[in-house]
């Protein structure tokens, strides 16, 4: 492990138990915020639920925390790679349905993956109010199709996505 001590990770040995506890709280908050959105998705039978969206939020938060701690790392680069990776993951769950309208399926769920990854980054950056507001706005947007006024103003069919 001599190589690890001389690398850019060597200063990580100096992190106090207090700081690690603080990071654990951040990760817990990320899981809760992502999990709330996942709960809404799971509740209506979508494939990405509490665990999936909670895990994505935690991973984005943890990677962002690590990138902020590395001495020679560029956190903006790591954050952009998170967005890129989630884009690939989201693209994998979007598909063309086989029914008569040949509509795209999974777009909203894919968008939720991207949103929760952003929320995880916001938590890592100590932007807790913005992370919470993002979660609340996302929940509101996901609930819109169930509001009666939405049926009058929306051009879409009355189906939950």
């Amino acid at each position: 492990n001599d190589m690890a001590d001389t690398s850019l990770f060597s200063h990580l040995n100096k992190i106090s138990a207090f700081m690690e506890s603080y990071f654990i709280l951040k990760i817990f908050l990320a899981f809760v915020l992502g999990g709330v959105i996942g709960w809404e998705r799971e509740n209506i039978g979508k494939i990405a639920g509490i665990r999936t969206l909670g895990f994505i939020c935690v991973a984005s938060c943890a990677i962002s925390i690590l990138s902020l701690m590395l001495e020679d790392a560029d956190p903006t680069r790591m954050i952009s790679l998170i967005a890129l990776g989630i884009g690939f993951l989201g693209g994998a769950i979007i598909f063309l349905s086989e029914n008569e309208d040949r509509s795209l399926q999974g777009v909203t769920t894919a968008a939720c993956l991207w949103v929760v990854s952003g929320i995880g980054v916001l938590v890592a950056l100590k932007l807790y109010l913005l992370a919470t507001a993002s979660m609340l706005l996302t929940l509101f947007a996901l609930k819109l199709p169930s509001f009666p006024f939405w049926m009058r103003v929306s051009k879409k069919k009355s189906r939950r996505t």
Side-chain angles (χ1 to χ4, degrees), residues 7 9 18 24 26-28 55 63 69 98 105 112 129 134 138 153 156:
S7 73
F9 297 105
F18 175 78
I24 290 169
K26 283 182 163 190
I27 288 172
F28 181 76
F55 292 164
I63 292 167
M69 294 170 49
E98 294 297 324
Q105 300 291 310
C112 285
L129 188 59
S134 297
T138 302
V153 298
K156 287 186 170 186

Side-chain angles (χ1 to χ4, degrees), residues 1-144:
N1 265 352
D2 291 336
M3 186 175 181
D5 292 338
T6 60
S7 73
L8 64 129
F9 297 105
S10 62
H11 71 284
L12 295 179
N13 295 331
K14 299 173 188 140
I15 294 175
S16 69
F18 175 78
M19 283 304 293
E20 276 196 86
S21 299
Y22 177 59
F23 296 150
I24 290 169
L25 286 174
K26 283 182 163 190
I27 288 172
F28 181 76
L29 176 62
F31 183 80
V32 169
L33 293 175
V36 168
I37 295 169
W39 173 80
E40 191 282 337
R41 302 306 290 159
E42 195 170 289
N43 216 23
I44 61 169
K46 298 301 176 180
I47 58 172
I50 295 169
R51 292 182 306 168
T52 303
L53 296 181
F55 292 164
I56 289 171
C57 205
V58 164
S60 297
C61 183
I63 292 167
S64 298
I65 289 170
L66 181 62
S67 73
L68 292 167
M69 294 170 49
L70 297 176
E71 290 177 348
D72 295 330
D74 178 7
T76 60
R77 208 164 157 206
M78 190 70 78
I79 292 166
S80 67
L81 291 173
I82 291 169
L84 180 67
I86 294 300
F88 278 108
L89 187 59
I93 64 170
I94 297 173
F95 62 94
L96 193 61
S97 69
E98 294 297 324
N99 58 17
E100 67 278 349
D101 67 352
R102 305 280 298 160
S103 61
L104 284 177
Q105 300 291 310
V107 176
T108 303
T109 301
C112 285
L113 300 180
W114 222 20
V115 168
V116 297
S117 71
I119 290 171
V121 171
L122 290 171
V123 171
L125 296 174
K126 303 179 192 174
L127 298 170
Y128 309 118
L129 188 59
L130 189 55
T132 303
S134 297
M135 182 268 302
L136 291 172
L137 181 60
T138 302
L139 282 180
F140 175 73
L142 289 170
K143 292 290 186 188
L144 270 177

